Amino acid sequence: EAAARLEGECFGENITAEAFCRFAYAPANHYFCAVGEDGTLLGYGGISLVADEAEIITVAVSPACRRQGIARALMEHMLRLAADARATVYLEVRASNEAAIALYKSLGFFEAGRRKHFYKNPAEDALVMLKPLKED
């Protein structure tokens, strides 16, 4: 329920806890939570791994907890999972989300393309960002 509420708070998506869990527990998906000392959900991240590709599905951090390294920690955890699977990683991000874009670039992602009118409420393009698999 807390994750579904956070989804609405961060992305304006009204989703039930049941629907959130159904998606989070899909076979290829892996979700991770950041939890405060009092058990409060601070944020979560989701990654889908299929063969040698990994998609960062989402990263959400409570507005009250932003700029504390939570998104970076979630991303680093998901990137380790992708590296273990020897997967190239990609994600979509709102073109106006400068903070997220800066985080992703600092983690080695680069802009690989643009999806026109990808987001709704408000309508906006998505940048497609890619982090290639490191060759040994």
Side-chain angles (χ1 to χ4, degrees):
E1 289 181 13
R5 279 193 303 274
L6 186 55
E7 181 83 8
E9 191 175 353
C10 292
F11 305 115
E13 298 290 329
N14 293 322
I15 187 170
T16 65
E18 179 184 355
F20 187 92
C21 286
R22 207 172 29 251
F23 187 74
Y25 290 111
N29 296 347
H30 306 271
Y31 273 69
F32 305 94
C33 296
V35 180
E37 291 178 11
D38 63 355
T40 302
L41 179 67
L42 307 177
Y44 63 84
I47 185 170
S48 178
L49 289 168
V50 178
D52 62 350
E53 281 193 359
E55 177 187 8
I56 302 293
I57 302 166
T58 189
V59 177
V61 175
S62 172
C65 300
R66 291 183 182 160
R67 313 243 5 122
Q68 297 178 26
I70 295 168
R72 176 174 294 280
L74 289 164
M75 283 294 298
E76 287 173 346
H77 187 76
M78 292 186 290
L79 291 173
R80 281 192 299 275
L81 185 67
D84 289 348
R86 303 195 48 76
T88 296
V89 185
Y90 72 95
L91 56 82
E92 287 103 1
V93 59
R94 282 187 180 271
S96 65
N97 192 340
E98 294 176 9
I101 293 166
L103 170 64
Y104 302 145
K105 284 182 176 179
S106 76
L107 292 168
F109 284 83
F110 66 90
E111 185 178 336
R114 182 178 287 255
R115 297 189 199 281
K116 295 286 187 185
H117 313 293
F118 184 79
Y119 291 104
K120 311 288 185 265
N121 300 325
E124 187 173 352
D125 292 355
L127 300 182
V128 178
M129 299 189 77
L130 181 68
K131 181 176 175 66
L133 172 67
K134 282 189 177 179
E135 295 297 327
D136 293 333

